[in-house]
Amino acid sequence: SFAVYTRSYQDDNLLIINNLSETIQSISLSSDLHADYVDLISNAAQAIGSLLTLQPYTYLWLKRMSIHR
């Protein structure tokens, strides 16, 4: 099972995803969460689309990248 939630403060938008299962799990995320993020733990870029698969007990703390125009 997954725990997925968002947090926002000023211009920062976070997406937190936790695989609470002992098995590999896939989740389909709503289209409003599809975006480019930065993983706050590894500092790596992470594109989130419609389907996400996570290893057992894996978690992602993601900060949505700003779009500058």
Side-chain angles (χ1 to χ4, degrees), residues 4-24:
V4 179
Y5 51 96
T6 60
R7 294 290 181 259
S8 296
Y9 178 73
Q10 295 180 354
D11 291 333
D12 292 334
N13 296 297
L14 303 180
L15 173 61
I16 291 57
I17 306 170
N18 302 280
N19 178 2
L20 305 175
S21 174
E22 63 185 19
T23 61
I24 296 172

Side-chain angles (χ1 to χ4, degrees), residues 37-52:
Y37 293 86
V38 173
D39 186 318
L40 294 176
I41 297 169
S42 68
N43 205 36
Q46 176 85 37
I48 298 296
S50 60
L51 186 64
L52 180 67

